[in-house]
Amino acid sequence: MWRLLACLCALAACQGPSQVASSSFGTSITTAPPAASSSGTTGDSMSSSSSSSTTSTGSGEDSAASGAGSTTWILDVGTEQDVESPQPAGCKGKIDFLFVISREAAILQHQAKLFAAFPEFIDTIAAKFADFDYHIMVVDADPPGYWGADFCEAQCPMLEGSCAGIDYPCDYTPTACDMTMGAGTTFNAGLNAANKPCDLASGHRWIDRDQPDLSGTFTCLAQGGTSGGLWPGAAVAAAVSPELNAEGGCNEGFLRDDALLMVTIFASYDVPTDSPGKPAEWAQAILDAKHGDKDAVVMFSFGDLTCPPADRICDLVLWYFPYHHMADRFGTDYGPGFDVATDLVETACSAFIPG
C-alpha cells in the first residue's frame, strides 16, 4: 500500500522537504507526524536515503524499506494533529528510555563509537529533560538462559587463553533475572565486557535521575562485550512484557503507563534465523505495553540505511510507529544521531496525552 502511494506521489511530482539528513557523519532516516518539529515527516510515511546516488531496496517478512539517492518523496496523508488542540506539559514529565544492545562479536567495530557518544547523549538528556522523571534500562540481546561467556565459564576457575586477561568473574553466580531474556542488565561478562557489577542506586535493574555518575553507570551497563547472542527483536518484546514489568518481575517499576517510551536498538541484523517471531509481533508487544497508543513510542536505532532484505530491525524501527529515526551505523560519529533522536522525543511528547 505504501509503495503504491509513494509511486503515485512521485508520478505527481509531489516532492516535499527532505527528511534525510546528510553530513560528514553519514545519513539518517527520520519520520514523525506533522506537528511541531522540523525533524519529522507527515503521517506514518517513511523517508530514506543512502549516501550514494543509486537506489537500494530491502524488504523483510512484514514490510519493505526503500532508499533513494539524493531525493526524498514526502507523502502527506494527514492526521488528527493537523487540528491544533491544547496539549499538557510534554509526557507529563516522564520518559522511559529502553536500550537493547547486542553482545555479538560482529558489533565490536562499532562499539567504540557508541561509547564515545554516550557522554554527549547523557548531557543531552540532562539538558533537554532536566525537569523530567526518566528511567533508563539497558537490555542485552542474549537468548533465554544465557549469561557471560560459555567458553570462559569452561575455563573457570583456572582461566587461560583469551579469558585470562579480562578478569572474568568466575566467582559470580548469575541470578534468575541475569539469565532472563529482556531483563535489565546489571552485570556484563565476557570478552570486551565490563566484567564487573554496575551499581544502580534505584535498587532496580534500571537507572533513575538520582543515579550518581550517570554517564559512567550507563557505560557500564552498555558495555556488554562480544560474547553474546543476537536476539534483539525478541529481547525488545520481552523487555516490555507484562510478566517482566509486573510487581515482582525483573523489570518491575521501569515501564510506566503515563511515560513516553523511547526504544533504542544497537545490533547488526536480526535475520529470520535469529530471534523467534516477526517484526509485526515485536511491534505489537511494544504497542500493547503502551495500551495501543502509537504516539507514546519513539523508535531509534543505529543501522544499515540500505535496509537489506533480511534486516528485520530496520523493519521494526521504520514501519510500525509514526515517530522513528535511524542513524548510520557506519558513520564516524554517533553523537548527532542521538541528538536528532532526542529532538524527536521532544516532538512526540507534544503529541502524547497520557490517559
Side-chain angles (χ1 to χ4, degrees):
M1 180 63 180
W2 287 114
R3 282 185 175 179
L4 176 60
L5 291 174
C7 289
L8 291 174
C9 181
L11 289 172
C14 57
Q15 183 179 0
S18 174
Q19 300 304 320
V20 180
S22 297
S23 71
S24 60
F25 306 119
T27 55
S28 61
I29 303 170
T30 307
T31 300
S37 174
S38 61
S39 65
T41 67
T42 59
D44 290 324
S45 62
M46 182 193 74
S47 59
S48 63
S49 172
S50 70
S51 57
S52 70
S53 59
T54 59
T55 298
S56 300
T57 301
S59 60
E61 298 175 65
D62 302 276
S63 58
S66 62
S70 59
T71 59
T72 301
W73 301 105
I74 306 299
L75 180 64
D76 188 352
V77 296
T79 70
E80 294 179 358
Q81 295 181 51
D82 292 330
V83 179
E84 294 185 2
S85 61
Q87 302 285 352
C91 315
K92 290 189 176 179
K94 296 181 180 180
I95 306 176
D96 297 331
F97 294 95
L98 171 62
F99 288 79
V100 179
I101 301 178
S102 171
R103 300 197 315 124
E104 58 179 310
I107 215 71
L108 175 62
Q109 61 179 317
H110 305 295
Q111 285 186 348
K113 294 179 289 186
L114 184 68
F115 297 150
F118 278 161
E120 181 177 344
F121 176 62
I122 293 299
D123 289 345
T124 299
I125 291 178
K128 290 184 177 180
F129 309 113
D131 297 327
F132 279 64
D133 174 11
Y134 53 77
H135 291 173
I136 302 173
M137 185 168 71
V138 177
V139 170
D140 62 41
D142 291 351
Y146 191 85
W147 181 86
D150 285 345
F151 52 88
C152 290
E153 293 287 344
Q155 297 176 18
C156 291
M158 301 300 293
L159 289 177
E160 59 185 7
S162 60
C163 297
I166 64 172
D167 197 23
Y168 189 82
C170 287
D171 58 347
Y172 178 73
T173 301
T175 68
C177 285
D178 287 336
M179 304 186 74
T180 297
M181 181 177 66
T185 295
T186 63
F187 196 151
N188 287 306
L191 297 179
N192 302 299
N195 286 299
K196 64 179 181 180
C198 305
D199 184 18
L200 303 185
S202 69
H204 297 280
R205 302 182 76 89
W206 39 267
I207 297 171
D208 61 19
R209 60 177 297 166
D210 295 325
Q211 176 69 43
D213 187 18
L214 182 58
S215 182
T217 304
F218 187 28
T219 301
C220 179
L221 295 174
Q223 191 176 347
T226 53
S227 303
L230 182 58
W231 283 26
V236 169
V240 298
S241 66
E243 294 78 13
L244 292 191
N245 286 276
E247 183 177 354
C250 295
N251 299 339
E252 177 183 355
F254 169 71
L255 200 63
R256 297 167 293 180
D257 288 344
D258 56 350
L260 186 84
L261 173 64
M262 178 179 174
V263 178
T264 298
I265 301 176
F266 186 75
S268 57
Y269 308 109
D270 192 333
V271 300
T273 54
D274 291 326
S275 285
K278 298 180 179 181
E281 297 168 344
W282 308 329
Q284 188 61 52
I286 297 171
L287 189 60
D288 289 346
K290 300 311 294 179
H291 306 289
D293 188 352
K294 291 184 177 181
D295 285 337
V297 180
V298 172
M299 298 295 294
F300 173 49
S301 73
F302 290 98
D304 182 343
L305 300 185
T306 66
C307 290
D311 186 2
R312 299 191 297 169
I313 294 304
C314 183
D315 276 4
L316 175 62
V317 171
L318 298 181
W319 284 94
Y320 296 95
F321 298 92
Y323 296 97
H324 56 254
H325 177 58
M326 177 178 283
D328 188 5
R329 184 169 70 244
F330 303 99
T332 58
D333 185 354
Y334 285 178
F338 275 132
D339 194 52
V340 172
T342 52
D343 283 346
L344 200 58
V345 169
E346 290 184 299
T347 302
C349 275
S350 69
F352 173 45
I353 305 175

